[in-house]
Amino acid sequence: MKAFAIYCTDKPNTEQKRLDARGAHFAHIEKTIDNLFVAGPFKNAQGDTIGSLLIVKAETAEEARAQLEADPYFHADIWGDIRLNEFTAAAGDWIGGKIW
């Protein structure tokens, strides 16, 4: 299983859309949590949510993208810029040290 990092930046003025979709988003995350290494919101200096980061488990980029597109936040049209790249955890607490 590979890891894919998905970086999503919120579109301007989507705070209410995010709040309205939050319950459905959390329910979706609870159903699909086994497909995630980690996920959570980005915050600005004022503490406002400005986007999301997901590191998903998938075999292909297409599978990772399909996971993102199943999220209620995607259907609520909150995210503007979405970047998806394969990710290798190389060092840190999550992997218990380093890979070299």
Side-chain angles (χ1 to χ4, degrees):
M1 189 67 55
K2 296 177 183 176
F4 291 86
I6 307 173
Y7 179 96
C8 307
T9 304
D10 288 4
K11 292 179 179 178
N13 305 311
T14 56
E15 297 85 1
Q16 190 59 50
K17 283 184 174 183
R18 182 179 271 278
L19 288 173
D20 292 345
R22 182 172 285 162
H25 167 73
F26 286 166
H28 171 76
I29 293 298
E30 288 178 17
K31 287 190 324 188
T32 61
I33 200 162
D34 290 340
N35 294 333
L36 294 171
F37 285 108
V38 68
F42 285 117
K43 306 277 185 166
N44 64 15
Q46 293 74 39
D48 302 317
T49 300
I50 58 169
S52 303
L53 172 69
L54 300 92
I55 301 181
V56 302
K57 301 172 186 177
E59 292 296 333
T60 65
E62 293 78 18
E63 183 183 319
R65 177 72 186 205
Q67 289 182 42
L68 178 73
E69 291 181 7
D71 192 303
Y73 280 174
F74 183 87
H75 293 282
D77 198 32
I78 293 167
W79 296 317
D81 183 41
I82 297 172
R83 291 184 275 161
L84 185 150
N85 296 95
E86 188 172 338
F87 173 77
T88 300
D93 288 342
W94 287 355
I95 64 165
K98 59 187 180 199
I99 63 172
W100 60 91

